[in-house]
Amino acid sequence: MSTDQLTRPPRQSSVFERMAAFSHRHRWRALILWVVLVAGITGVSTVVGSAYHNDFSLPGTDSQSAQSVLERHGSAQADASVQIVVKDAEGIRDSGVRDRVEDVLDKVEGLPSVTGVISPYADGSAISRDGTVGYATVTLDGAAENVPKEHVREIIEAAKSLDGDGLQAAVGGDAARGAEEAGGGAAEGAGILGALVILVFLFGSLVAASLPVVTALFAVGSSIGLIALASHFANVADFTPPIMMLVGLGVGIDYALLIFSRYRSELLRGAEPEQATRSALDASGRTVFFAGCTVIIALMGLVALGLGSLQGVALAVALTVLVTMAASLTLLPALLGIFGPRIRRQVTRRAAKSKRVEGAGWRRWASGVQRRPWAALLVSVVALGALAAPATGMRLGFADAGNDATSTSSRQAYDLLAEGFGPGFNGPLFVVAEGTAEDTTAGTSDIAPVRTALADTPGVAAVSGPIPSKDGEITTLLVFPDSAPQAAETSQLVDRLRGDVLPPLEDQAGARLLVGGATAATEDFAATVSDRMPLFVAIVVGLSALLLLIVFRSVLIPLKAALLNLVSIGAALGAITLVFQHGWFGVEPGPIEAFIPVMIFAIVFGLSMDYEVFLLSRIHEEWQRTKDAQAAVREGLAATGKVITAAAAIMIVVFGAFMLSPDRMLQQFGLGLAVAILLDAVVIRCLIVPAVMQLLGTRAWWLPKWLRGVLPRVELERHS
């Protein structure tokens, strides 16, 4: 025991004990309070609705400046639009085809949110050279993310009425993609079912297995309602709810399992249900609290990136973790109070039938690793390094219609436009000419040399325009690359235009030349994420290491934890790169969603601390008691190995289930989290940590004398 433990009054109880005692004794009140809370939040959020809004603006970037100029001068390019693309092998100029197309376009012009329609027959450039493919431009009354999806669906339905008799029609554009997005309900259901099956096998009881799941569902249910309400006051992206459910279910079940596992151990020692609840919260409840705080700190590091909607996502997921932690510390003790006697009978009965020594297999495993620590360490590190290597070539961006399912209208329109006009037609660049202070206009005569230079630039297929704004003060040129929007060649073209082609032309044109458009904005977003990533990593790693330093009073333990977490995250990002960028397993190749690496880093770094703290707190307990470093590692792994692997298996199932989602972003998110947790629980906790702790020996707990007096004493586990 430590000096603190010897001098502490024996009957003093912690806040976690008091919380557990209150929830256990007032179990029905606590349960009813949670039911009322979830029902109330859900009811209010249903009545009020949500106001999710995607904001990927990046002040100070070229693309954002171009967009601001377009909006300020009322340019048509600032408005959202969709394209109704038609194809007929016999030619769309046929009078019968033309009559059908124009009849539908007349109907579309009268639909809600439509401000104008430009027929392909009104602009010769909107029909391909062979005359088989053409497109109509439908201008909408707001940004793509703000136009009601049901209004866009009406446009899609109207266009689809053209299909037949050799004519094919589809609707493309960001608004069309958003209107066709499907939910991920099947993924959440599959994850919950898989988690329940694992818990039943672990505890041998459906009642016991249900408690962690019920706790997680209560937490997720209330969090979704809270974020829907918060979206009216803060900028929260529309893809936030599925990410919240993904993290909330995994973390909720994980936290409840850690507490319930300790509760079960206390029952096997002969404790009464109430005392077992108090002891479980007093021990594992502290671990859950610390782990939850670490996840929240990691997520708050995203705020430092200053990336619009990403800040709202970080705050939403942090709130989910906070509510989940609260449910584990208050709702779960109430449920244990209700079902405690029944669970005790089942636990006692199962223990009486089992002849196995608890943790014997994990002791043997730890002993095997300790006999060959260098072999275990080197093989594991080499394997993780090999998996992480592809991440060095990761290309950030955003998926477009070219990554959608071929059954969607947006993908069909994308393919038709590429067939008729070339791959770059799906992602034109806007070159905006804004008059300088001396010359407040940028006339078409001044822009002619710019157009000529752009047309002669390698990688440019065609240049359209100039297109004047409503007030006539700016002009816009549409630059169509030779390559698809996601291609690396398009990224290089954007850099070439900004760095080499346009700067020398600004004086000649008497205007500031800005490269904008969705494709350029994607490049700017990806570049900003890459530039700010080091600061984000430094904040998250630094704060997490400081917490571990205070808790375990060791210099090497935080360093080891930080390095190993970075390795597992790198390996997870490498797996994502192989599957989604290089197209392994038949996946449509494309860039990695620009915010996926930072989100995965924040969440995985925090979740990895769950297992780190859970394992090391037991090792630290044995070290404090016996001062035998090798035995401490064996006993720590024996006590936690089963729970860590079970918790990891549950999170892998929950996260992996999101691979079933039709949304590419959720697929990347689910795969990254599942791979990271798998590697963290199996390779790092079961191989690398025991090997490193064996090699460090007593040095693992080294702390300089000058730090001992400076650091506050924080007791993670209480022991009698």
Side-chain angles (χ1 to χ4, degrees):
M1 288 188 179
S2 66
T3 305
D4 287 350
Q5 289 171 308
L6 291 173
T7 58
R8 186 189 307 116
R11 299 183 63 85
Q12 182 181 7
S13 61
S14 71
V15 65
F16 295 97
E17 274 190 289
R18 295 194 295 271
M19 192 183 304
F22 180 86
S23 296
H24 192 279
R25 292 170 185 169
H26 304 280
R27 62 201 69 151
W28 289 108
R29 290 183 187 177
L31 178 59
I32 292 172
L33 181 61
W34 269 98
V35 170
V36 171
L37 182 67
V38 174
I41 293 174
T42 303
V44 173
S45 63
T46 302
V47 172
V48 175
S50 61
Y52 296 118
H53 174 71
N54 294 338
D55 176 19
F56 294 113
S57 60
L58 292 172
T61 60
D62 219 30
S63 59
Q64 184 60 42
S65 298
Q67 181 66 18
S68 299
V69 169
L70 291 171
E71 292 173 352
R72 188 165 59 248
H73 293 281
S75 175
Q77 282 69 47
D79 299 324
S81 63
V82 295
Q83 296 79 42
I84 298 179
V85 190
V86 293
K87 177 187 177 182
D88 193 302
E90 301 299 323
I92 64 170
R93 289 189 176 93
D94 178 81
S95 58
V97 173
R98 178 168 181 164
D99 290 342
R100 289 172 60 189
V101 171
E102 291 191 331
D103 284 345
V104 169
L105 294 182
D106 288 341
K107 294 177 183 177
V108 169
E109 196 162 11
L111 293 177
S113 296
V114 175
T115 60
V117 178
I118 302 176
S119 168
Y121 306 104
D123 180 3
S125 64
I127 298 178
S128 63
R129 292 180 180 178
D130 62 5
T132 60
V133 180
Y135 66 92
T137 301
V138 180
T139 307
L140 306 176
D141 62 0
E145 62 269 17
N146 296 329
V147 177
K149 293 183 178 181
E150 57 270 21
H151 294 174
V152 182
R153 292 191 191 104
E154 290 185 49
I155 299 174
I156 296 174
E157 291 171 5
K160 281 300 181 183
S161 67
L162 288 170
D163 281 343
D165 298 327
L167 183 62
Q168 181 182 354
V171 180
D174 289 339
R177 288 193 72 215
E180 291 185 298
E181 287 179 351
E188 289 94 339
I192 293 172
L193 181 60
L196 189 59
V197 170
I198 294 173
L199 287 168
V200 169
F201 275 105
L202 180 65
F203 296 123
S205 164
L206 182 60
V207 173
S210 300
L211 296 190
V213 175
V214 170
T215 304
L217 289 176
F218 268 85
V220 171
S222 55
S223 298
I224 288 177
L226 286 173
I227 296 304
L229 294 174
S231 66
H232 291 277
F233 309 100
N235 186 26
V236 182
D238 60 7
F239 54 81
T240 303
I243 292 180
M244 287 172 52
M245 295 182 70
L246 174 73
V247 176
L249 288 174
V251 172
I253 295 174
D254 193 41
Y255 289 172
L257 176 60
L258 295 182
I259 294 174
F260 186 82
S261 175
R262 186 60 178 248
Y263 172 80
R264 177 177 171 274
S265 298
E266 295 297 326
L267 290 179
L268 289 175
R269 292 177 184 175
E272 292 296 316
E274 181 176 350
Q275 184 55 47
T277 303
R278 292 169 61 113
S279 299
L281 263 291
D282 192 38
S284 295
R286 294 167 182 265
T287 303
V288 166
F289 180 77
F290 177 85
C293 290
T294 307
V295 176
I296 292 171
I297 288 173
L299 288 165
M300 289 300 95
L302 287 173
V303 177
L305 289 175
L307 297 176
S309 289
L310 201 57
Q311 294 175 308
V313 175
L315 292 171
V317 178
L319 178 61
T320 302
V321 174
L322 181 63
V323 174
T324 299
M325 186 168 59
S328 300
L329 298 177
T330 58
L331 175 61
L332 183 58
L335 295 174
L336 292 176
I338 295 171
F339 298 102
R342 182 174 178 178
I343 292 173
R344 181 173 62 170
R345 289 194 299 270
Q346 293 172 341
V347 167
T348 305
R349 189 184 310 122
R350 191 181 187 196
K353 293 180 180 179
S354 177
K355 298 180 180 179
R356 291 178 298 180
V357 178
E358 193 77 16
W362 288 103
R363 286 188 186 89
R364 289 194 297 272
W365 176 268
S367 297
V369 173
Q370 287 178 323
R371 283 194 297 270
R372 299 177 180 84
W374 280 111
L377 179 61
L378 293 176
V379 170
S380 300
V381 170
V382 169
L384 291 177
L387 187 55
T392 59
M394 178 182 290
R395 201 162 54 82
L396 300 181
F398 287 106
D400 59 21
N403 300 113
D404 293 345
T406 54
S407 59
T408 61
S409 182
S410 56
R411 172 62 184 273
Q412 293 166 6
Y414 182 97
D415 291 340
L416 289 175
L417 287 173
E419 177 186 340
F421 302 93
F425 199 85
N426 285 291
L429 304 172
F430 296 168
V431 175
V432 181
E434 181 187 27
T436 61
E438 294 79 14
D439 180 11
T440 57
T441 63
T444 57
S445 60
D446 295 326
I447 210 72
V450 178
R451 174 171 178 162
T452 301
L454 290 171
D456 293 338
T457 300
V460 174
V463 180
S464 177
I467 305 169
S469 61
K470 293 178 182 178
D471 60 9
E473 293 191 6
I474 66 168
T475 56
T476 304
L477 293 170
L478 300 185
V479 180
F480 298 97
D482 280 329
S483 50
Q486 297 181 3
E489 293 81 2
T490 303
S491 301
Q492 295 165 5
L493 175 61
V494 173
D495 293 338
R496 192 181 310 125
L497 293 179
R498 289 174 172 171
D500 302 328
V501 178
L502 295 179
L505 297 171
E506 289 189 333
D507 290 338
Q508 185 176 357
R512 182 170 65 142
L513 301 176
L514 302 168
V515 180
T519 302
T522 296
E523 296 300 323
D524 287 341
F525 193 93
T528 303
V529 170
S530 299
D531 292 342
R532 299 180 186 178
M533 187 76 171
L535 172 63
F536 164 67
V537 171
I539 291 174
V540 173
V541 173
L543 290 176
S544 300
L546 179 61
L547 285 176
L548 288 178
L549 174 65
I550 294 172
V551 168
F552 292 112
R553 302 183 69 77
S554 164
V555 172
L556 297 180
I557 291 294
L559 291 177
K560 172 192 68 67
L563 290 175
L564 293 182
N565 285 348
L566 290 173
V567 169
S568 67
I569 293 169
L573 295 179
I576 294 175
T577 304
L578 290 173
V579 173
F580 290 96
Q581 184 172 311
H582 297 294
W584 281 28
F585 307 113
V587 175
E588 185 77 29
I592 306 304
E593 300 290 319
F595 52 83
I596 287 292
V598 290
M599 287 296 296
I600 286 181
F601 184 92
I603 294 172
V604 170
F605 198 92
L607 294 180
S608 296
M609 288 299 177
D610 291 5
Y611 306 136
E612 181 76 12
V613 170
F614 194 58
L615 172 59
L616 286 179
S617 61
R618 284 304 184 95
I619 294 176
H620 188 250
E621 174 188 346
E622 291 297 323
W623 161 252
Q624 291 284 76
R625 187 174 64 85
T626 66
K627 297 301 179 181
D628 185 337
Q630 295 183 6
V633 173
R634 288 195 299 272
E635 292 305 312
L637 195 59
T640 61
K642 181 178 179 181
V643 179
I644 288 176
T645 51
I650 290 169
M651 297 185 83
I652 291 167
V653 167
V654 172
F655 295 151
F658 276 74
M659 289 292 293
L660 303 175
S661 171
D663 187 280
R664 183 180 175 90
M665 179 268 293
L666 287 180
Q667 291 175 353
Q668 293 181 6
F669 208 71
L671 176 66
L673 291 179
V675 171
I677 296 300
L678 173 65
L679 297 176
D680 189 89
V682 176
V683 180
I684 291 180
R685 304 303 154 204
C686 297
L687 284 171
I688 297 182
V689 169
V692 171
M693 295 296 287
Q694 170 69 17
L695 293 172
L696 291 177
T698 58
R699 294 186 297 274
W701 308 107
W702 172 74
L703 184 69
K705 291 182 178 180
W706 65 270
L707 264 180
R708 294 176 188 173
V710 175
L711 292 178
R713 285 191 173 273
V714 176
E715 191 179 41
L716 188 62
E717 298 260 4
R718 280 173 59 97
H719 309 285
S720 57

